[in-house]
Structures are given as C-alpha cells and as structure tokens.
Amino acid sequence: MTKTKSILNYIVYNSVFSTFLYFGLIQGISGFMNILTFYIWFVFIMFIFGSFSQEAQIAVYKSDQKKFKLGIFAHIITAAYVGILVYYGHILLGSIYLISTFLGYAMIANGKKFVEGN
C-alpha cells in the first residue's frame, strides 16, 4: 500500500510541477512562475540547512526507502525540468533546481551511511 501511495504522490507532484512550468513559462502567467520560483528556492534552502543535520539526513534516507524507485525515469524528468527552465531563460533557477537535486541525493547517501554505519 505504501508503494502505491508513493507512486500517486510522485504523479501528483510532477503533474503540479509540470502545470506550473507550463502556465508560468509557456503561457507567461507570472503568478504560476512566482510560486514555482518560491518553491524551488525554498527546497534549495531547506536542503542546504538539512545537509548540516545528521537527523535530517537520516529522515530523508528513511523516507526514500519507502518510495517506489523509478530509476532512470526520475533522472530524465529532472533533466527535462532543468532543460526547460534554462531554455526559457531561467538559468539561475534551473541551476538551483539541479543543485537541490544533487543535495537531496547527497543527503540520502549520507543518511544511509549514518543508518548502516558504513
């Protein structure tokens, strides 16, 4: 049941994110872009602060273990989001999104080290 919930969460998250990208970038509705910009910066700042906390890294690792793994598909979607942001001239925002993704992966790897003791 948890994997099904994880898949649904992933679908909903990416649907909302894609909708905000479409209406913010392609349709030019500034409200959607403002919310997307705020979200990307907020996640980036939380990952920056979380990368200094052992408890946060363990929590991110444990929550990642409950998720359905999409493999390379998740990386392709992330690359597409970054590419779309950069293509439409939001180079800094695309870079911040990419860095946030790398910080998230680093937090998962560090959390795994703390939990498994490697």
Side-chain angles (χ1 to χ4, degrees), residues 2 11-14 17 19-20 22 25 31 36 43 45-48 56 61 72 74 77 79 84 100 104 111:
T2 311
I11 290 170
V12 168
Y13 168 80
N14 281 297
F17 197 90
T19 301
F20 276 77
Y22 175 76
L25 291 175
L36 187 65
V43 169
I45 291 169
M46 289 298 107
F47 278 168
I48 290 289
Y61 170 71
I72 193 70
I77 290 175
I84 290 168
S100 297

Side-chain angles (χ1 to χ4, degrees), residues 47-74:
F47 278 168
I48 290 289
F49 288 133
S51 64
F52 294 111
S53 170
Q54 180 178 353
E55 290 128 13
Q57 293 175 3
I58 291 171
V60 169
Y61 170 71
K62 286 183 179 179
S63 70
D64 183 63
Q65 294 304 306
K66 297 175 186 175
K67 291 181 182 177
F68 178 75
K69 305 295 184 215
L70 294 170
I72 193 70
F73 185 67

Side-chain angles (χ1 to χ4, degrees), residues 6 18 21 28-30 35 53-55 59 70 77 79 86 90-91 95 98-99 110-111:
S6 175
S18 298
L21 269 177
I29 302 172
S30 62
I35 293 170
S53 170
Q54 180 178 353
E55 290 128 13
L70 294 170
I77 290 175
V86 170
H90 295 275
I91 297 167
S95 300
L98 186 62
I99 292 168
N110 287 339

